[in-house]
Every structure is written in C-alpha cells, then in structure tokens.
Amino acid sequence: VFAGSVDSINPMVYPSHFAEYRDASANPYRTVFNSLSSLKQQLKDQPPVKIIAYIEAYNYRYPLSPAQKVNYVRAQMRAAEDSKITGWYF
C-alpha cells in the first residue's frame, strides 16, 4: 500500500526472532532468502522501492562459537545478495 510513498523498506529478517527459531536459526540462508523473496513477490505490482534488509550479527536464542557466528552472518549476507535486494544492514 505504501511502497510508492517511501524511500525504502527495511525488513528485519533475524532468523532467531522467527517463531520457529530453531529451524530458522539452523538455516539462516534459507530463512533470509525466502523472507526477502516473499517480500519482493508481495511488492511486484507496486511502484519500485528499495529493499534494504536488517540481518542478524548474532543469534540471541542460543550461543554460537566464533566460527559458527562467522558462518551464520555470512550465510545471511549471501542470502541478501542472492535475493538481489538493494542492500543490507547489521
């Protein structure tokens, strides 16, 4: 409804914040990619708008080792880039 009236849409696609956080957090690439793809599909008939996603720099639901954190963040970055949105924030 408002896509044509804003500079950008900034969804927060933090995997550990989803209701099914165990699955979403275990699959950060899929979670972020599917979320952003779904948003793009919802906006397909709207005026063009930038999508700049917030991605999660850590998983607050359960601890990750340093190596797991790196993989977790990289997977989300890759998903945002593969979804061909405008950009992402941490």
Side-chain angles (χ1 to χ4, degrees):
V1 173
F2 60 86
S5 302
V6 296
D7 294 328
S8 67
I9 295 176
N10 306 96
M12 189 177 90
V13 290
Y14 294 3
S16 72
H17 287 55
F18 281 66
E20 299 295 327
Y21 71 89
R22 290 187 200 280
D23 181 58
S25 293
N27 298 288
Y29 178 92
R30 184 184 72 202
T31 301
V32 171
F33 185 83
N34 288 350
S35 297
L36 296 173
S37 296
S38 177
L39 176 59
K40 286 175 60 176
Q41 181 65 25
Q42 291 174 46
L43 296 172
K44 71 178 181 166
D45 296 327
Q46 300 299 317
V49 63
K50 294 177 185 176
I51 300 173
I52 305 170
Y54 283 98
I55 59 176
E56 187 174 30
Y58 64 93
N59 183 316
Y60 91 101
R61 296 262 190 185
Y62 56 89
L64 298 172
S65 71
Q68 289 172 314
K69 284 181 188 177
V70 168
N71 290 335
Y72 188 77
V73 170
R74 284 185 178 160
Q76 293 175 85
M77 291 166 53
R78 193 171 62 252
E81 291 166 2
D82 288 353
S83 69
K84 307 228 183 300
I85 61 168
T86 305
W88 47 266
Y89 301 108
F90 280 119

